[in-house]
Amino acid sequence: MHTNYYFLRQLAPALTAQLRGYRVASCFSQEKDELVVGLTDGAREFWLKAQLGAVFPALALPETFQRARANSVDLFPELLGQQVEAVAAWPQDRVLQVNFRSGARLVCKLYGPRPNAIFRPAPEGPAQLFQQKLLADADLRPQPAPGGPSDQSAESDTSAVPAKLPPPLADLPARYLRAHGYDPAPAATKTRLLHRVLAQVEAPAHYYLIRLDGRTRLSLLPLGDVLETLPGADPVGALRRFVPLALARRALEAETKQVHQALERRAAEATASAEHARQRLHALAHEAGYRHAADLIMAHLHEIPAGAAQVELLDYYTNQPRLIKLKTGEKPQRTAENLYRKAKNQQIEERQLSQRIERREAEAFEALERLEELATRPALAELRAFRAWRKQHGLEPAPAAGKLPTELPFKVFEDRGFTILVGRNAANNDLLTQKYAHKDDYWLHAKDVSGSHVVVRHRAGQPVPAPVLEHAAQLAAWYSRRQNDSLCPVTVTPKKFVRKPKGARPGQVVVEREQVLLVVPTNPFEAQDR
């Protein structure tokens, strides 16, 4: 009810008593939907801060205020120097008006969906709007109070039963009435209950800070969970206590929701990643091993005819014939050597997959633990404690808005703080080059043969060091048809010089400018293992 008519009618005379004779010393805004007015009588200062956002319109009365040195703009220049005569609440409305001795007016409209501040240098002067898109507010005028149950005639007639509750009562008094049996009561009881509530809100003995339906609110009636009871003779003090508390509660709710969603997403992503790695590990464990095939080749070396494309050999593990493909023109010994190397890489991959499963399952478990703490620890219902807990567990929001990082669908390598991405196949190469690569990234590819696209992600203001480019070129050479060459030429160019012609096959691109690096293809698994 901090914007309700019955509270504003208490606040207006209290502000009049405090501000009469004060002059406006400053009027500015330094945040979106915020109007700050500083007043002084020469010895003391008083601050009005109108928060004119649709989510939480409010009139805050901070005891002190420090204007920022930057990002601050002066508003309503004709308001400066104006001397306060009185503060008034519009009848049956959520509007507070500051009247100045010169005839100027500052109107604070605290409607939930469309709050605004309107300044008139003279009673009939042109209106200056804070929210300039709300053009209709230029014609806003106070309306006479309608007749109703609050009129003297209605108060004297205890048999008058309103067809509906007066609009200025808003939702809290209406809920209070219904909680005290208003709806099923007979007519005389309804009227008595209504007049009793009207008497309480017109001259409240106390103000209540309550918690109702998950929201912290200022009420003139005890309702919901009463957090604090404040004296009814001090509406200024009640507002000063309520607004910071409500803003802190709203911030806590928003940040808690954000952290809750982030933890759920982190747990889901870690679980999915662990399951994907587990499936890959299972597939590796159940497919025919490279070492087994190499052992068979070496055991039956004398039986393999020269230049054969494939050979059927007796598998001494199963005592069944097994068909093994060979490369035409390549000696069987060389084929076995390549298979042994692949077997070693497979072992390394299996070890890395096991480590990834363990790491990602631990991440999912930790995220679920944090979610449980969030739901069960009472201390986290306070903003300061919640922010300390969030910082302790590394759950602070990222500097730039956006989603938590997810695993990229490419092979990912790091070198000196730079990220190197390697495509997995032709379609994946297209995804990397066309969707993920930035125009200032470096793009690499083994020259004149098929292979993976490789991208070195740029970092603003930091040129890519030569060793990083060489490492990326070695990866491009390894993940290409030149993997077994002693030296491999690799095309290097900024991605902005790479384009995909219309109708080109997956992974096929045209490079308009290029440099060539000559490197030795390097197995990244062996390099990491050493």
Side-chain angles (χ1 to χ4, degrees):
M1 294 183 71
H2 64 289
T3 62
N4 181 266
Y5 163 69
Y6 287 103
F7 177 73
L8 295 181
R9 67 181 288 179
Q10 307 300 323
L11 180 64
L15 289 176
T16 297
Q18 189 148 1
L19 292 179
R20 180 174 281 134
Y22 275 60
R23 293 184 181 275
V24 177
S26 59
C27 180
F28 59 92
S29 178
Q30 61 187 36
E31 292 184 13
K32 183 182 179 182
D33 299 329
E34 173 195 83
L35 175 67
V36 181
V37 180
L39 303 103
T40 180
D41 64 352
R44 294 165 298 178
E45 62 181 29
F46 193 95
W47 294 93
L48 296 171
K49 185 171 78 167
Q51 298 187 179
L52 303 172
V55 176
F56 184 72
L59 186 66
L61 306 173
E63 296 190 43
T64 59
F65 193 90
Q66 296 295 325
R67 183 173 182 177
R69 295 183 179 180
N71 301 321
S72 176
V73 58
D74 291 314
L75 297 172
F76 303 149
E78 294 174 87
L79 183 58
L80 299 181
Q82 297 282 357
Q83 192 170 20
V84 176
E85 175 63 30
V87 180
W90 285 14
Q92 312 295 317
D93 212 340
R94 292 165 290 169
V95 179
L96 204 65
Q97 177 173 302
V98 183
N99 300 323
F100 299 96
R101 291 181 178 173
S102 67
R105 302 284 185 267
L106 178 63
V107 174
C108 293
K109 186 187 76 165
L110 301 174
Y111 295 4
R114 51 190 191 285
N116 204 356
I118 305 105
F119 174 65
R120 293 181 183 275
E124 299 302 324
Q128 301 175 26
L129 305 178
F130 176 80
Q131 301 281 15
Q132 298 185 22
K133 61 183 179 181
L134 301 178
L135 298 177
D137 287 349
D139 301 322
L140 198 64
R141 295 287 192 280
Q143 301 297 317
S150 60
D151 292 346
Q152 185 63 34
S153 60
E155 291 178 7
S156 63
D157 181 7
T158 58
S159 65
V161 181
K164 59 181 180 178
L165 299 177
L169 281 179
D171 65 319
L172 292 184
R175 293 180 67 165
Y176 181 83
L177 280 168
R178 294 187 174 102
H180 287 76
Y182 180 85
D183 287 335
T189 305
K190 281 187 176 181
T191 304
R192 189 163 53 252
L193 285 170
L194 177 58
H195 290 317
R196 184 187 305 163
V197 167
L198 286 171
Q200 286 179 267
V201 297
E202 287 174 352
H206 299 95
Y207 298 113
Y208 303 94
L209 301 184
I210 67 170
R211 187 79 174 161
L212 186 64
D213 296 338
R215 295 169 58 196
T216 301
R217 303 183 67 177
L218 176 65
S219 176
L220 279 60
L221 299 163
L223 194 66
D225 296 327
V226 178
L227 305 177
E228 292 185 41
T229 301
L230 306 170
D234 185 15
V236 172
L239 201 58
R240 281 177 170 165
R241 179 74 186 103
F242 164 70
V243 172
L245 178 63
L247 289 175
R249 291 280 182 178
R250 293 181 71 87
L252 175 64
E253 291 164 7
E255 293 178 21
T256 300
K257 181 179 179 181
Q258 181 187 46
V259 169
H260 193 278
Q261 291 175 340
L263 285 170
E264 285 185 331
R265 188 163 57 245
R266 182 178 296 182
E269 289 175 355
T271 301
S273 176
E275 180 59 26
H276 183 270
R278 193 178 291 108
Q279 291 174 0
R280 172 62 179 160
L281 187 61
H282 182 271
L284 288 176
H286 288 79
E287 67 182 19
Y290 294 118
R291 179 175 294 278
H292 187 180
D295 288 344
L296 289 178
I297 292 174
M298 296 304 295
H300 298 84
L301 195 60
H302 62 285
E303 302 175 17
I304 301 174
Q310 61 183 24
V311 63
E312 188 176 274
L313 303 175
L314 178 65
D315 189 337
Y316 45 78
Y317 288 113
T318 63
N319 203 31
Q320 297 292 326
R322 176 176 172 183
L323 187 67
I324 297 177
K325 293 183 178 181
L326 303 171
K327 287 186 178 181
T328 304
E330 184 177 78
K331 292 183 178 181
Q333 294 94 327
R334 183 60 182 270
T335 301
E337 180 184 338
N338 291 335
L339 289 172
Y340 281 128
R341 182 169 60 248
K342 288 182 178 181
K344 181 180 179 182
N345 293 343
Q346 187 179 47
Q347 290 177 342
I348 295 171
E349 184 180 3
E350 288 174 350
R351 184 169 67 250
Q352 291 177 343
L353 285 170
S354 298
Q355 293 171 351
R356 181 189 295 179
I357 292 169
E358 183 179 354
R359 184 178 69 253
R360 297 298 270 167
E361 285 181 340
E363 289 175 8
F365 181 73
E366 182 184 5
L368 293 174
E369 278 190 326
R370 299 290 86 77
L371 281 170
E372 185 177 356
E373 286 182 25
L374 200 58
T376 58
R377 286 182 57 178
L380 299 184
E382 298 297 328
L383 185 62
R384 187 186 299 273
F386 170 78
R387 286 179 172 172
W389 174 86
R390 185 182 65 183
K391 183 176 182 180
Q392 174 189 352
H393 295 292
L395 297 171
E396 293 180 293
K403 297 182 179 179
L404 290 176
T406 57
E407 291 191 355
L408 294 170
F410 315 107
K411 297 182 179 74
V412 181
F413 300 90
E414 296 287 335
D415 191 346
R416 293 169 174 81
F418 287 84
T419 301
I420 304 172
L421 305 178
V422 180
R424 296 180 179 273
N425 51 48
N428 197 241
N429 283 340
D430 273 350
L431 181 67
L432 172 58
T433 300
Q434 304 302 320
K435 300 296 183 183
Y436 278 79
H438 185 269
K439 66 175 184 177
D440 293 327
D441 293 344
Y442 273 99
W443 184 90
L444 302 93
H445 192 278
K447 191 170 178 61
D448 299 331
V449 294
S450 61
S452 293
H453 294 192
V454 176
V455 167
V456 181
R457 283 189 159 173
H458 83 291
R459 299 175 64 183
Q462 298 186 36
V464 179
V468 175
L469 278 181
E470 183 178 356
H471 182 190
Q474 289 172 338
L475 291 171
W478 178 259
Y479 290 106
S480 76
R481 287 291 181 88
R482 295 185 184 272
Q483 181 183 106
N484 298 316
D485 291 359
S486 56
L487 286 176
C488 173
V490 176
T491 294
V492 182
T493 187
K495 190 268 171 184
K496 61 186 175 183
F497 298 126
V498 180
R499 62 181 178 85
K500 185 173 183 65
K502 186 175 181 179
R505 296 189 303 274
Q508 189 176 42
V509 295
V510 172
V511 179
E512 296 178 349
R513 300 184 190 177
E514 66 174 354
Q515 293 180 328
V516 177
L517 290 180
L518 201 59
V519 296
V520 177
T522 302
N523 185 340
F525 294 102
E526 291 181 351
Q528 291 175 8
D529 199 43
R530 282 197 292 268

